[in-house]
């Protein structure tokens, strides 16, 4: 993992993020230094506020001391993807329902999923056991107005029972699938790449779309993801240039964030 994994809380007050947050860069500093300093400050705040597209400010409790997991703080990729996906009135998830149902894999402390829930989606956020305490707390205090919902559960990518539980918590039939899947900083271990892609493939609806925003944590795992993704999705698009040019996320280049969109599931025949 990158050096950000060693961030420690200093007891500073809540830091509120908004569409203009990443523009808070001083004129006499280089952009990369300023952006790094900004996100270091964010990680050191015990609570992070985020102003959603509807004006609601959600509150995300952080704990950088969560053991064996980096899901205790808000990372650059979660903020960037929330900015990118909620910038327009029409969300990029195809759905026959009024509110698309979205699955988040590796939700961390929950900023992205909560932002989507307050922007018109119903969201199921998932994580490993170590991150579930704070994720559950953040879900409880950031519920959208009814009939919208925000829920969470454990989901280990190699556990069929966890996937079955996710269907139950989301009140979805597996044949329907999720309208969208989002994931940030989930590509860090080459052994997990096939499990990640398999989970995406088996939980996404036929017409659904996946957005994956990452910083390169492990070059081998990153290469394996790009090599293996076409075996599960016939449309694998790199949106990084568009992402970094967008007015809401132009700072993502400073943090070396990359964005991919996966869609059109490949039919996989059981062995």
């Amino acid at each position: 993992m990158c050096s950000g994994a060693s961030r420690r809380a200093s007891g500073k007050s809540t830091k509120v993020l908004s569409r203009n947050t990443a523009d808070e860069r001083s004129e006499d500093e280089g952009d990369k230094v300023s952006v790094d300093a900004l996100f270091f400050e964010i990680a050191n705040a015990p609570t992070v506020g985020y102003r959603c597209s509807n004006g609601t400010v959600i509150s995300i409790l952080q704990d950088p001391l969560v053991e064996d997991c980096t899901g205790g703080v808000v990372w650059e990729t979660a903020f960037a993807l929330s900015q990118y996906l909620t910038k327009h009135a029409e969300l990029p998830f195809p759905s026959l329902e009024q509110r698309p149902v979205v699955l988040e894999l590796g939700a961390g402390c929950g900023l992205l999923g909560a932002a989507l829930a307050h922007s018109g989606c119903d969201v199921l956020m998932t994580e490993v056991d170590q991150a579930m305490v704070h994720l559950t707390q953040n879900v409880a205090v950031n519920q959208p107005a009814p009939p919208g919902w925000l829920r969470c559960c454990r989901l280990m990518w190699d556990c069929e029972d966890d996937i079955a539980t996710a269907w139950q918590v989301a009140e979805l039939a597996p044949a329907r699938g999720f309208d969208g899947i989002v994931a940030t900083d989930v590509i860090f271990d080459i052994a997990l790449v096939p499990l990640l892609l398999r989970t995406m493939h088996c939980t996404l609806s036929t017409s659904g779309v996946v957005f994956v925003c990452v910083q390169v944590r492990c070059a081998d795992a990153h290469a394996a993801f790009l090599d293996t993704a076409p075996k599960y999705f016939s449309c694998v698009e790199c949106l990084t240039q568009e992402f970094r040019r967008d007015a809401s996320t132009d700072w993502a280049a400073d943090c070396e964030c990359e964005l991919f969109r996966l869609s059109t599931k490949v039919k996989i025949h059981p062995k």
Side-chain angles (χ1 to χ4, degrees):
M1 300 298 288
C2 76
S3 59
S6 63
R7 295 165 171 171
R8 290 292 181 264
S10 63
K12 293 183 179 180
S13 59
T14 300
K15 176 70 177 179
V16 178
L17 304 176
S18 68
R19 296 183 182 278
N20 298 320
T21 298
D23 291 329
E24 296 175 7
R25 294 176 274 192
S26 57
E27 297 293 335
D28 58 348
E29 293 183 290
D31 279 357
K32 184 171 178 58
V33 173
S34 299
V35 170
D36 284 348
L38 172 62
F39 280 101
F40 185 81
E41 180 184 352
I42 291 167
N44 279 303
T47 306
V48 174
Y50 178 80
R51 194 176 308 279
C52 300
S53 57
N54 66 356
T56 300
V57 177
I58 58 176
S59 180
I60 303 297
L61 176 67
Q62 299 194 118
D63 181 8
L65 300 180
V66 173
E67 294 184 0
D68 301 321
C69 175
T70 57
V73 298
V74 173
W75 291 88
E76 294 91 331
T77 49
F79 177 45
L81 190 54
S82 64
Q83 295 278 84
Y84 184 79
L85 293 179
T86 63
K87 64 181 178 177
H88 300 304
E90 184 174 345
L91 290 161
F93 304 110
S95 176
L96 297 177
E97 307 297 330
Q98 186 174 3
R99 292 174 64 92
V101 184
V102 175
L103 171 68
E104 182 174 9
L105 301 175
C109 49
L111 181 139
L112 172 57
L116 288 173
H118 284 272
S119 300
C121 298
D122 291 329
V123 182
L124 175 63
M125 301 193 290
T126 63
E127 255 296 352
V128 297
D129 284 325
Q130 299 93 316
M132 284 304 300
V133 172
H134 276 82
L135 181 58
T136 301
Q137 292 175 332
N138 285 327
V139 166
V141 299
N142 290 296
Q143 286 295 312
W149 56 261
L150 175 64
R151 302 169 186 165
C152 67
C153 69
R154 188 189 91 149
L155 201 167
M156 303 294 290
W157 302 336
D158 61 349
C159 182
E160 295 290 345
D161 288 344
D162 282 2
I163 294 175
T165 298
W167 292 124
Q168 294 172 1
V169 174
E171 300 179 4
L172 282 181
R176 180 195 185 283
F178 288 90
D179 301 307
I181 296 175
V182 293
T184 58
D185 277 330
V186 291
I187 305 171
F188 54 86
D189 184 336
I190 193 170
L192 295 178
V193 168
L195 298 176
L196 170 65
L197 286 165
R198 176 186 171 279
T199 301
M200 291 174 169
H201 184 274
C202 75
T203 55
L204 189 69
S205 70
T206 302
S207 60
V209 61
V210 180
F211 288 92
V212 182
C213 186
V214 297
Q215 293 168 307
V216 179
R217 308 294 189 184
C218 169
D220 289 342
H222 196 77
F225 175 81
L226 296 178
D227 182 60
T228 310
K231 298 177 182 178
Y232 291 88
F233 300 94
S234 60
C235 185
V236 178
E237 303 168 271
C238 178
L239 304 182
T240 300
Q241 289 189 355
E242 172 191 329
F243 181 52
R244 294 178 178 181
R245 286 197 302 263
D246 191 278
S248 66
T249 49
D250 57 354
W251 54 270
D254 303 330
C255 298
E256 299 180 342
C257 296
E258 300 186 9
L259 179 63
F260 301 93
R261 180 170 57 199
L262 316 179
S263 58
T264 314
K265 298 197 298 183
V266 171
K267 187 171 183 180
I268 298 177
H269 299 282
K271 295 181 180 180

